[in-house]
């Protein structure tokens, strides 16, 4: 797990096996060697990849990606999780908020005015 942690730029990583508590690594150090989390548990039971924001635990509200490691028969025997930096940026949500703010500030008028647009300032 330290190798995976290093490979992904030292983003936090977690893992646990089906039969034993796991590990949590941050900043190059093992933070917990008897770790489990709600998403790790779900992935082990459901045997699917999940990209979610956990409802609790040390990564509450932070996007994570968790995937199962499967045996030769396709059963989940381990789950590995990372902080999902691609999930931190919700472009659609940002654009929606930006449009709402513009409506509040500008009302029905064109905003910015044609003379205030970036193209007019070039």
């Amino acid at each position: 797990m330290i190798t995976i942690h290093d490979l992904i730029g030292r983003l936090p990583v977690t893992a646990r096996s089906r039969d034993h508590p796991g590990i949590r690594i941050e900043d190059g150090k093992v933070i917990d060697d008897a770790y489990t989390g709600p998403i790790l548990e779900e992935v082990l039971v459901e045997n699917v990849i999940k990209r979610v924001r956990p409802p609790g635990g040390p990564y509450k509200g932070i996007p994570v990606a968790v995937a199962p490691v499967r045996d030769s028969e396709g059963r989940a025997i381990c789950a590995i999780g990372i902080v999902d930096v691609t999930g931190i940026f919700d472009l659609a949500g940002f654009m929606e908020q930006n449009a709402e703010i513009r409506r509040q500030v500008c009302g029905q008028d064109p905003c910015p005015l044609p003379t205030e647009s970036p193209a007019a300032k070039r």
Side-chain angles (χ1 to χ4, degrees):
M1 287 310 300
I2 291 285
T3 300
I4 292 172
H5 177 64
D6 287 338
L7 280 172
I8 61 172
R10 292 199 158 196
L11 290 171
V13 296
T14 62
R16 72 155 287 151
S17 75
R18 178 182 57 211
D19 302 324
H20 301 285
I23 192 167
R24 179 174 150 219
I25 301 170
E26 293 181 6
D27 299 320
K29 299 177 191 129
V30 174
I31 303 297
D32 188 344
D33 64 357
Y35 180 76
T36 191
I39 309 307
L40 290 174
E41 297 290 337
E42 289 175 16
V43 167
L44 283 170
V45 170
E46 298 172 24
N47 196 10
V48 296
I49 296 171
K50 289 195 171 216
R51 294 179 186 276
V52 298
R53 293 176 187 255
Y59 304 110
K60 178 181 178 179
I62 299 171
V64 298
V66 181
V69 175
R70 298 178 178 109
D71 65 13
S72 60
E73 295 175 18
R75 295 177 300 211
I77 57 171
C78 177
I80 297 174
I82 63 169
V83 169
D84 183 7
V85 293
T86 65
I88 293 172
F89 304 105
D90 179 7
L91 187 56
F94 171 76
M95 295 302 288
E96 188 175 296
Q97 284 180 327
N98 185 40
E100 180 60 28
I101 290 168
R102 290 180 74 141
R103 276 192 296 277
Q104 289 175 3
V105 172
C106 302
Q108 300 299 326
D109 297 335
C111 185
L113 295 172
T115 56
E116 298 172 331
S117 73
K121 294 181 179 180
R122 289 187 191 140

mmCIF file of all heavy atoms in Angstrom, residues 1-46:
data_model
loop_
_atom_site.group_PDB
_atom_site.id
_atom_site.type_symbol
_atom_site.label_atom_id
_atom_site.label_comp_id
_atom_site.label_asym_id
_atom_site.label_seq_id
_atom_site.Cartn_x
_atom_site.Cartn_y
_atom_site.Cartn_z
ATOM 1 N N MET A 1 0.823 -1.198 0.000
ATOM 2 C CA MET A 1 0.000 0.000 0.000
ATOM 3 C C MET A 1 0.865 1.259 0.000
ATOM 4 O O MET A 1 0.461 2.258 -0.568
ATOM 5 C CB MET A 1 -0.959 -0.009 1.181
ATOM 6 C CG MET A 1 -2.109 -1.006 1.037
ATOM 7 S SD MET A 1 -3.016 -0.925 -0.528
ATOM 8 C CE MET A 1 -3.613 0.725 -0.520
ATOM 9 N N ILE A 2 2.027 1.193 0.638
ATOM 10 C CA ILE A 2 2.934 2.342 0.597
ATOM 11 C C ILE A 2 3.340 2.617 -0.848
ATOM 12 O O ILE A 2 3.415 3.776 -1.269
ATOM 13 C CB ILE A 2 4.183 2.106 1.486
ATOM 14 C CG1 ILE A 2 3.796 2.105 2.964
ATOM 15 C CG2 ILE A 2 5.265 3.132 1.198
ATOM 16 C CD1 ILE A 2 3.499 3.467 3.559
ATOM 17 N N THR A 3 3.559 1.575 -1.638
ATOM 18 C CA THR A 3 3.928 1.748 -3.044
ATOM 19 C C THR A 3 2.816 2.453 -3.806
ATOM 20 O O THR A 3 3.074 3.393 -4.562
ATOM 21 C CB THR A 3 4.229 0.380 -3.687
ATOM 22 O OG1 THR A 3 5.304 -0.230 -2.970
ATOM 23 C CG2 THR A 3 4.600 0.526 -5.145
ATOM 24 N N ILE A 4 1.580 2.032 -3.604
ATOM 25 C CA ILE A 4 0.452 2.700 -4.272
ATOM 26 C C ILE A 4 0.361 4.143 -3.804
ATOM 27 O O ILE A 4 0.168 5.056 -4.612
ATOM 28 C CB ILE A 4 -0.869 1.938 -4.004
ATOM 29 C CG1 ILE A 4 -0.829 0.588 -4.718
ATOM 30 C CG2 ILE A 4 -2.075 2.761 -4.460
ATOM 31 C CD1 ILE A 4 -1.983 -0.329 -4.387
ATOM 32 N N HIS A 5 0.505 4.367 -2.517
ATOM 33 C CA HIS A 5 0.488 5.713 -1.942
ATOM 34 C C HIS A 5 1.529 6.605 -2.634
ATOM 35 O O HIS A 5 1.230 7.738 -3.031
ATOM 36 C CB HIS A 5 0.757 5.595 -0.440
ATOM 37 C CG HIS A 5 0.850 6.878 0.305
ATOM 38 N ND1 HIS A 5 -0.200 7.756 0.432
ATOM 39 C CD2 HIS A 5 1.882 7.430 0.999
ATOM 40 C CE1 HIS A 5 0.174 8.790 1.167
ATOM 41 N NE2 HIS A 5 1.429 8.614 1.523
ATOM 42 N N ASP A 6 2.735 6.084 -2.787
ATOM 43 C CA ASP A 6 3.794 6.847 -3.459
ATOM 44 C C ASP A 6 3.490 7.060 -4.938
ATOM 45 O O ASP A 6 3.733 8.152 -5.473
ATOM 46 C CB ASP A 6 5.138 6.136 -3.300
ATOM 47 C CG ASP A 6 5.706 6.238 -1.901
ATOM 48 O OD1 ASP A 6 5.313 7.170 -1.158
ATOM 49 O OD2 ASP A 6 6.543 5.388 -1.537
ATOM 50 N N LEU A 7 2.945 6.045 -5.600
ATOM 51 C CA LEU A 7 2.638 6.155 -7.027
ATOM 52 C C LEU A 7 1.597 7.220 -7.341
ATOM 53 O O LEU A 7 1.633 7.832 -8.406
ATOM 54 C CB LEU A 7 2.135 4.809 -7.569
ATOM 55 C CG LEU A 7 3.198 3.774 -7.880
ATOM 56 C CD1 LEU A 7 2.545 2.439 -8.210
ATOM 57 C CD2 LEU A 7 4.079 4.228 -9.025
ATOM 58 N N ILE A 8 0.672 7.435 -6.433
ATOM 59 C CA ILE A 8 -0.402 8.406 -6.707
ATOM 60 C C ILE A 8 -0.134 9.749 -6.028
ATOM 61 O O ILE A 8 -1.059 10.481 -5.687
ATOM 62 C CB ILE A 8 -1.787 7.847 -6.337
ATOM 63 C CG1 ILE A 8 -1.876 7.507 -4.854
ATOM 64 C CG2 ILE A 8 -2.129 6.640 -7.201
ATOM 65 C CD1 ILE A 8 -3.268 7.137 -4.391
ATOM 66 N N GLY A 9 1.128 10.055 -5.845
ATOM 67 C CA GLY A 9 1.496 11.372 -5.335
ATOM 68 C C GLY A 9 1.200 11.558 -3.857
ATOM 69 O O GLY A 9 0.926 12.666 -3.418
ATOM 70 N N ARG A 10 1.246 10.470 -3.110
ATOM 71 C CA ARG A 10 1.030 10.490 -1.662
ATOM 72 C C ARG A 10 -0.367 10.951 -1.250
ATOM 73 O O ARG A 10 -0.561 11.496 -0.175
ATOM 74 C CB ARG A 10 2.102 11.297 -0.952
ATOM 75 C CG ARG A 10 3.450 10.618 -1.023
ATOM 76 C CD ARG A 10 4.369 11.133 0.005
ATOM 77 N NE ARG A 10 5.407 10.108 0.224
ATOM 78 C CZ ARG A 10 6.190 10.112 1.252
ATOM 79 N NH1 ARG A 10 6.089 11.041 2.154
ATOM 80 N NH2 ARG A 10 7.110 9.174 1.387
ATOM 81 N N LEU A 11 -1.344 10.710 -2.112
ATOM 82 C CA LEU A 11 -2.731 10.907 -1.700
ATOM 83 C C LEU A 11 -3.044 9.838 -0.662
ATOM 84 O O LEU A 11 -2.486 8.749 -0.692
ATOM 85 C CB LEU A 11 -3.676 10.744 -2.890
ATOM 86 C CG LEU A 11 -3.626 11.845 -3.945
ATOM 87 C CD1 LEU A 11 -4.434 11.437 -5.160
ATOM 88 C CD2 LEU A 11 -4.144 13.142 -3.368
ATOM 89 N N PRO A 12 -3.954 10.120 0.258
ATOM 90 C CA PRO A 12 -4.313 9.109 1.250
ATOM 91 C C PRO A 12 -4.843 7.838 0.582
ATOM 92 O O PRO A 12 -5.580 7.907 -0.403
ATOM 93 C CB PRO A 12 -5.414 9.786 2.062
ATOM 94 C CG PRO A 12 -5.143 11.243 1.912
ATOM 95 C CD PRO A 12 -4.629 11.407 0.514
ATOM 96 N N VAL A 13 -4.449 6.682 1.135
ATOM 97 C CA VAL A 13 -4.931 5.392 0.656
ATOM 98 C C VAL A 13 -5.402 4.553 1.840
ATOM 99 O O VAL A 13 -4.896 4.702 2.956
ATOM 100 C CB VAL A 13 -3.873 4.602 -0.150
ATOM 101 C CG1 VAL A 13 -3.496 5.314 -1.422
ATOM 102 C CG2 VAL A 13 -2.642 4.308 0.677
ATOM 103 N N THR A 14 -6.372 3.696 1.557
ATOM 104 C CA THR A 14 -6.870 2.761 2.558
ATOM 105 C C THR A 14 -7.045 1.412 1.889
ATOM 106 O O THR A 14 -7.207 1.330 0.665
ATOM 107 C CB THR A 14 -8.222 3.208 3.147
ATOM 108 O OG1 THR A 14 -9.189 3.253 2.090
ATOM 109 C CG2 THR A 14 -8.118 4.567 3.810
ATOM 110 N N ALA A 15 -7.013 0.373 2.681
ATOM 111 C CA ALA A 15 -7.268 -0.970 2.156
ATOM 112 C C ALA A 15 -7.638 -1.874 3.317
ATOM 113 O O ALA A 15 -7.227 -1.632 4.453
ATOM 114 C CB ALA A 15 -6.041 -1.510 1.438
ATOM 115 N N ARG A 16 -8.411 -2.902 3.012
ATOM 116 C CA ARG A 16 -8.688 -3.947 3.998
ATOM 117 C C ARG A 16 -9.048 -5.207 3.248
ATOM 118 O O ARG A 16 -9.547 -5.159 2.125
ATOM 119 C CB ARG A 16 -9.767 -3.554 4.982
ATOM 120 C CG ARG A 16 -11.169 -3.508 4.437
ATOM 121 C CD ARG A 16 -12.231 -3.713 5.504
ATOM 122 N NE ARG A 16 -12.232 -5.101 5.908
ATOM 123 C CZ ARG A 16 -12.590 -5.540 7.112
ATOM 124 N NH1 ARG A 16 -12.995 -4.702 8.020
ATOM 125 N NH2 ARG A 16 -12.571 -6.820 7.401
ATOM 126 N N SER A 17 -8.772 -6.333 3.866
ATOM 127 C CA SER A 17 -9.156 -7.600 3.269
ATOM 128 C C SER A 17 -10.542 -7.980 3.767
ATOM 129 O O SER A 17 -11.066 -7.375 4.704
ATOM 130 C CB SER A 17 -8.142 -8.689 3.617
ATOM 131 O OG SER A 17 -8.304 -9.096 4.957
ATOM 132 N N ARG A 18 -11.094 -8.993 3.149
ATOM 133 C CA ARG A 18 -12.423 -9.464 3.530
ATOM 134 C C ARG A 18 -12.438 -9.966 4.971
ATOM 135 O O ARG A 18 -13.415 -9.783 5.690
ATOM 136 C CB ARG A 18 -12.835 -10.583 2.575
ATOM 137 C CG ARG A 18 -14.169 -11.219 2.867
ATOM 138 C CD ARG A 18 -14.472 -12.355 1.908
ATOM 139 N NE ARG A 18 -13.394 -13.339 1.976
ATOM 140 C CZ ARG A 18 -13.008 -14.092 0.947
ATOM 141 N NH1 ARG A 18 -13.586 -13.974 -0.219
ATOM 142 N NH2 ARG A 18 -12.028 -14.953 1.077
ATOM 143 N N ASP A 19 -11.325 -10.564 5.411
ATOM 144 C CA ASP A 19 -11.300 -11.225 6.710
ATOM 145 C C ASP A 19 -10.561 -10.475 7.817
ATOM 146 O O ASP A 19 -10.598 -10.909 8.964
ATOM 147 C CB ASP A 19 -10.685 -12.621 6.557
ATOM 148 C CG ASP A 19 -11.461 -13.468 5.559
ATOM 149 O OD1 ASP A 19 -12.707 -13.347 5.513
ATOM 150 O OD2 ASP A 19 -10.827 -14.234 4.813
ATOM 151 N N HIS A 20 -9.885 -9.376 7.460
ATOM 152 C CA HIS A 20 -9.080 -8.673 8.464
ATOM 153 C C HIS A 20 -9.185 -7.162 8.290
ATOM 154 O O HIS A 20 -9.299 -6.674 7.166
ATOM 155 C CB HIS A 20 -7.604 -9.076 8.349
ATOM 156 C CG HIS A 20 -7.391 -10.538 8.532
ATOM 157 N ND1 HIS A 20 -7.448 -11.160 9.746
ATOM 158 C CD2 HIS A 20 -7.138 -11.514 7.624
ATOM 159 C CE1 HIS A 20 -7.215 -12.450 9.598
ATOM 160 N NE2 HIS A 20 -7.036 -12.699 8.316
ATOM 161 N N PRO A 21 -9.112 -6.429 9.406
ATOM 162 C CA PRO A 21 -9.064 -4.965 9.301
ATOM 163 C C PRO A 21 -7.859 -4.545 8.457
ATOM 164 O O PRO A 21 -6.905 -5.311 8.299
ATOM 165 C CB PRO A 21 -8.910 -4.497 10.749
ATOM 166 C CG PRO A 21 -9.410 -5.636 11.567
ATOM 167 C CD PRO A 21 -9.089 -6.884 10.778
ATOM 168 N N GLY A 22 -7.929 -3.337 7.969
ATOM 169 C CA GLY A 22 -6.935 -2.905 7.008
ATOM 170 C C GLY A 22 -5.972 -1.863 7.500
ATOM 171 O O GLY A 22 -5.606 -1.815 8.670
ATOM 172 N N ILE A 23 -5.626 -0.981 6.567
ATOM 173 C CA ILE A 23 -4.580 0.000 6.786
ATOM 174 C C ILE A 23 -5.003 1.334 6.199
ATOM 175 O O ILE A 23 -5.745 1.383 5.216
ATOM 176 C CB ILE A 23 -3.258 -0.505 6.153
ATOM 177 C CG1 ILE A 23 -2.079 0.335 6.588
ATOM 178 C CG2 ILE A 23 -3.370 -0.600 4.647
ATOM 179 C CD1 ILE A 23 -0.740 -0.313 6.252
ATOM 180 N N ARG A 24 -4.553 2.390 6.825
ATOM 181 C CA ARG A 24 -4.796 3.756 6.340
ATOM 182 C C ARG A 24 -3.451 4.457 6.313
ATOM 183 O O ARG A 24 -2.733 4.484 7.316
ATOM 184 C CB ARG A 24 -5.767 4.466 7.275
ATOM 185 C CG ARG A 24 -6.075 5.874 6.887
ATOM 186 C CD ARG A 24 -7.173 6.421 7.803
ATOM 187 N NE ARG A 24 -7.000 7.834 7.945
ATOM 188 C CZ ARG A 24 -7.174 8.519 9.059
ATOM 189 N NH1 ARG A 24 -7.538 7.910 10.172
ATOM 190 N NH2 ARG A 24 -6.996 9.809 9.083
ATOM 191 N N ILE A 25 -3.106 5.038 5.158
ATOM 192 C CA ILE A 25 -1.801 5.673 4.980
ATOM 193 C C ILE A 25 -1.996 7.110 4.519
ATOM 194 O O ILE A 25 -2.748 7.377 3.578
ATOM 195 C CB ILE A 25 -0.946 4.911 3.950
ATOM 196 C CG1 ILE A 25 -0.748 3.462 4.407
ATOM 197 C CG2 ILE A 25 0.380 5.609 3.718
ATOM 198 C CD1 ILE A 25 -0.135 2.557 3.376
ATOM 199 N N GLU A 26 -1.311 8.032 5.182
ATOM 200 C CA GLU A 26 -1.297 9.445 4.805
ATOM 201 C C GLU A 26 0.100 9.996 5.019
ATOM 202 O O GLU A 26 0.787 9.609 5.968
ATOM 203 C CB GLU A 26 -2.288 10.248 5.652
ATOM 204 C CG GLU A 26 -3.739 9.898 5.406
ATOM 205 C CD GLU A 26 -4.698 10.738 6.237
ATOM 206 O OE1 GLU A 26 -4.251 11.676 6.922
ATOM 207 O OE2 GLU A 26 -5.898 10.442 6.196
ATOM 208 N N ASP A 27 0.517 10.905 4.154
ATOM 209 C CA ASP A 27 1.807 11.587 4.284
ATOM 210 C C ASP A 27 2.963 10.620 4.484
ATOM 211 O O ASP A 27 3.884 10.879 5.268
ATOM 212 C CB ASP A 27 1.775 12.597 5.435
ATOM 213 C CG ASP A 27 0.728 13.679 5.214
ATOM 214 O OD1 ASP A 27 0.597 14.133 4.059
ATOM 215 O OD2 ASP A 27 0.048 14.053 6.178
ATOM 216 N N GLY A 28 2.923 9.484 3.798
ATOM 217 C CA GLY A 28 4.019 8.523 3.862
ATOM 218 C C GLY A 28 4.058 7.680 5.122
ATOM 219 O O GLY A 28 5.004 6.935 5.333
ATOM 220 N N LYS A 29 3.027 7.780 5.951
ATOM 221 C CA LYS A 29 3.025 7.054 7.221
ATOM 222 C C LYS A 29 1.748 6.236 7.388
ATOM 223 O O LYS A 29 0.675 6.656 6.975
ATOM 224 C CB LYS A 29 3.119 8.034 8.388
ATOM 225 C CG LYS A 29 4.368 8.866 8.394
ATOM 226 C CD LYS A 29 4.334 9.854 9.553
ATOM 227 C CE LYS A 29 5.460 10.846 9.374
ATOM 228 N NZ LYS A 29 5.049 12.208 9.475
ATOM 229 N N VAL A 30 1.885 5.109 8.052
ATOM 230 C CA VAL A 30 0.722 4.312 8.419
ATOM 231 C C VAL A 30 0.044 5.018 9.589
ATOM 232 O O VAL A 30 0.632 5.169 10.662
ATOM 233 C CB VAL A 30 1.122 2.876 8.799
ATOM 234 C CG1 VAL A 30 -0.089 2.109 9.311
ATOM 235 C CG2 VAL A 30 1.759 2.169 7.611
ATOM 236 N N ILE A 31 -1.157 5.489 9.372
ATOM 237 C CA ILE A 31 -1.923 6.212 10.393
ATOM 238 C C ILE A 31 -2.701 5.232 11.268
ATOM 239 O O ILE A 31 -2.896 5.461 12.451
ATOM 240 C CB ILE A 31 -2.912 7.208 9.726
ATOM 241 C CG1 ILE A 31 -2.183 8.184 8.829
ATOM 242 C CG2 ILE A 31 -3.766 7.929 10.761
ATOM 243 C CD1 ILE A 31 -1.211 9.084 9.528
ATOM 244 N N ASP A 32 -3.171 4.133 10.652
ATOM 245 C CA ASP A 32 -3.988 3.157 11.367
ATOM 246 C C ASP A 32 -3.737 1.785 10.743
ATOM 247 O O ASP A 32 -3.863 1.626 9.527
ATOM 248 C CB ASP A 32 -5.463 3.553 11.236
ATOM 249 C CG ASP A 32 -6.405 2.741 12.092
ATOM 250 O OD1 ASP A 32 -6.007 1.662 12.583
ATOM 251 O OD2 ASP A 32 -7.559 3.173 12.251
ATOM 252 N N ASP A 33 -3.385 0.802 11.551
ATOM 253 C CA ASP A 33 -3.136 -0.539 11.021
ATOM 254 C C ASP A 33 -4.256 -1.524 11.374
ATOM 255 O O ASP A 33 -4.093 -2.733 11.244
ATOM 256 C CB ASP A 33 -1.775 -1.072 11.463
ATOM 257 C CG ASP A 33 -1.669 -1.267 12.965
ATOM 258 O OD1 ASP A 33 -2.629 -0.948 13.690
ATOM 259 O OD2 ASP A 33 -0.599 -1.722 13.413
ATOM 260 N N ALA A 34 -5.384 -0.992 11.795
ATOM 261 C CA ALA A 34 -6.591 -1.796 12.034
ATOM 262 C C ALA A 34 -7.790 -1.020 11.499
ATOM 263 O O ALA A 34 -8.833 -0.924 12.131
ATOM 264 C CB ALA A 34 -6.748 -2.099 13.513
ATOM 265 N N TYR A 35 -7.636 -0.465 10.305
ATOM 266 C CA TYR A 35 -8.618 0.466 9.747
ATOM 267 C C TYR A 35 -9.699 -0.249 8.942
ATOM 268 O O TYR A 35 -9.466 -1.241 8.274
ATOM 269 C CB TYR A 35 -7.910 1.468 8.827
ATOM 270 C CG TYR A 35 -8.849 2.473 8.204
ATOM 271 C CD1 TYR A 35 -9.347 3.528 8.947
ATOM 272 C CD2 TYR A 35 -9.266 2.333 6.888
ATOM 273 C CE1 TYR A 35 -10.235 4.441 8.397
ATOM 274 C CE2 TYR A 35 -10.148 3.245 6.325
ATOM 275 C CZ TYR A 35 -10.623 4.285 7.089
ATOM 276 O OH TYR A 35 -11.500 5.183 6.542
ATOM 277 N N THR A 36 -10.884 0.309 9.001
ATOM 278 C CA THR A 36 -11.936 -0.006 8.055
ATOM 279 C C THR A 36 -12.783 1.253 7.897
ATOM 280 O O THR A 36 -12.701 2.165 8.713
ATOM 281 C CB THR A 36 -12.797 -1.206 8.480
ATOM 282 O OG1 THR A 36 -13.609 -1.572 7.350
ATOM 283 C CG2 THR A 36 -13.673 -0.876 9.678
ATOM 284 N N GLY A 37 -13.518 1.294 6.839
ATOM 285 C CA GLY A 37 -14.378 2.444 6.595
ATOM 286 C C GLY A 37 -15.644 1.985 5.906
ATOM 287 O O GLY A 37 -15.697 0.884 5.346
ATOM 288 N N PRO A 38 -16.678 2.821 5.913
ATOM 289 C CA PRO A 38 -17.966 2.394 5.364
ATOM 290 C C PRO A 38 -17.913 2.031 3.888
ATOM 291 O O PRO A 38 -18.562 1.072 3.455
ATOM 292 C CB PRO A 38 -18.881 3.595 5.614
ATOM 293 C CG PRO A 38 -17.971 4.764 5.795
ATOM 294 C CD PRO A 38 -16.714 4.206 6.394
ATOM 295 N N ILE A 39 -17.124 2.733 3.121
ATOM 296 C CA ILE A 39 -17.083 2.449 1.682
ATOM 297 C C ILE A 39 -16.266 1.194 1.415
ATOM 298 O O ILE A 39 -16.619 0.380 0.553
ATOM 299 C CB ILE A 39 -16.564 3.664 0.889
ATOM 300 C CG1 ILE A 39 -17.325 4.941 1.279
ATOM 301 C CG2 ILE A 39 -16.679 3.414 -0.618
ATOM 302 C CD1 ILE A 39 -18.835 4.852 1.203
ATOM 303 N N LEU A 40 -15.176 0.992 2.150
ATOM 304 C CA LEU A 40 -14.423 -0.258 2.015
ATOM 305 C C LEU A 40 -15.347 -1.449 2.288
ATOM 306 O O LEU A 40 -15.340 -2.446 1.551
ATOM 307 C CB LEU A 40 -13.241 -0.294 2.984
ATOM 308 C CG LEU A 40 -12.062 0.646 2.705
ATOM 309 C CD1 LEU A 40 -11.060 0.562 3.849
ATOM 310 C CD2 LEU A 40 -11.404 0.336 1.386
ATOM 311 N N GLU A 41 -16.145 -1.335 3.344
ATOM 312 C CA GLU A 41 -17.067 -2.414 3.710
ATOM 313 C C GLU A 41 -18.093 -2.655 2.596
ATOM 314 O O GLU A 41 -18.367 -3.801 2.235
ATOM 315 C CB GLU A 41 -17.797 -2.075 5.013
ATOM 316 C CG GLU A 41 -16.907 -1.944 6.216
ATOM 317 C CD GLU A 41 -16.322 -3.263 6.689
ATOM 318 O OE1 GLU A 41 -16.899 -4.325 6.392
ATOM 319 O OE2 GLU A 41 -15.282 -3.219 7.358
ATOM 320 N N GLU A 42 -18.668 -1.588 2.064
ATOM 321 C CA GLU A 42 -19.666 -1.727 0.994
ATOM 322 C C GLU A 42 -19.069 -2.399 -0.235
ATOM 323 O O GLU A 42 -19.697 -3.261 -0.855
ATOM 324 C CB GLU A 42 -20.233 -0.361 0.613
ATOM 325 C CG GLU A 42 -21.132 0.254 1.651
ATOM 326 C CD GLU A 42 -21.575 1.665 1.284
ATOM 327 O OE1 GLU A 42 -21.454 2.070 0.104
ATOM 328 O OE2 GLU A 42 -22.048 2.380 2.187
ATOM 329 N N VAL A 43 -17.862 -1.991 -0.610
ATOM 330 C CA VAL A 43 -17.216 -2.560 -1.796
ATOM 331 C C VAL A 43 -16.951 -4.049 -1.601
ATOM 332 O O VAL A 43 -17.144 -4.850 -2.517
ATOM 333 C CB VAL A 43 -15.933 -1.781 -2.143
ATOM 334 C CG1 VAL A 43 -15.080 -2.534 -3.150
ATOM 335 C CG2 VAL A 43 -16.297 -0.402 -2.683
ATOM 336 N N LEU A 44 -16.537 -4.443 -0.413
ATOM 337 C CA LEU A 44 -16.316 -5.865 -0.149
ATOM 338 C C LEU A 44 -17.607 -6.671 -0.275
ATOM 339 O O LEU A 44 -17.612 -7.776 -0.827
ATOM 340 C CB LEU A 44 -15.715 -6.062 1.246
ATOM 341 C CG LEU A 44 -14.234 -5.744 1.361
ATOM 342 C CD1 LEU A 44 -13.806 -5.731 2.824
ATOM 343 C CD2 LEU A 44 -13.397 -6.730 0.563
ATOM 344 N N VAL A 45 -18.708 -6.132 0.215
ATOM 345 C CA VAL A 45 -19.994 -6.838 0.163
ATOM 346 C C VAL A 45 -20.576 -6.830 -1.258
ATOM 347 O O VAL A 45 -21.017 -7.859 -1.766
ATOM 348 C CB VAL A 45 -21.001 -6.212 1.159
ATOM 349 C CG1 VAL A 45 -22.402 -6.775 0.954
ATOM 350 C CG2 VAL A 45 -20.536 -6.440 2.588
ATOM 351 N N GLU A 46 -20.549 -5.654 -1.907
ATOM 352 C CA GLU A 46 -21.210 -5.504 -3.205
ATOM 353 C C GLU A 46 -20.319 -5.889 -4.384
ATOM 354 O O GLU A 46 -20.810 -6.069 -5.497
ATOM 355 C CB GLU A 46 -21.714 -4.075 -3.356
ATOM 356 C CG GLU A 46 -22.746 -3.687 -2.305
ATOM 357 C CD GLU A 46 -23.096 -2.217 -2.326
ATOM 358 O OE1 GLU A 46 -22.925 -1.552 -3.386
ATOM 359 O OE2 GLU A 46 -23.536 -1.708 -1.274
#
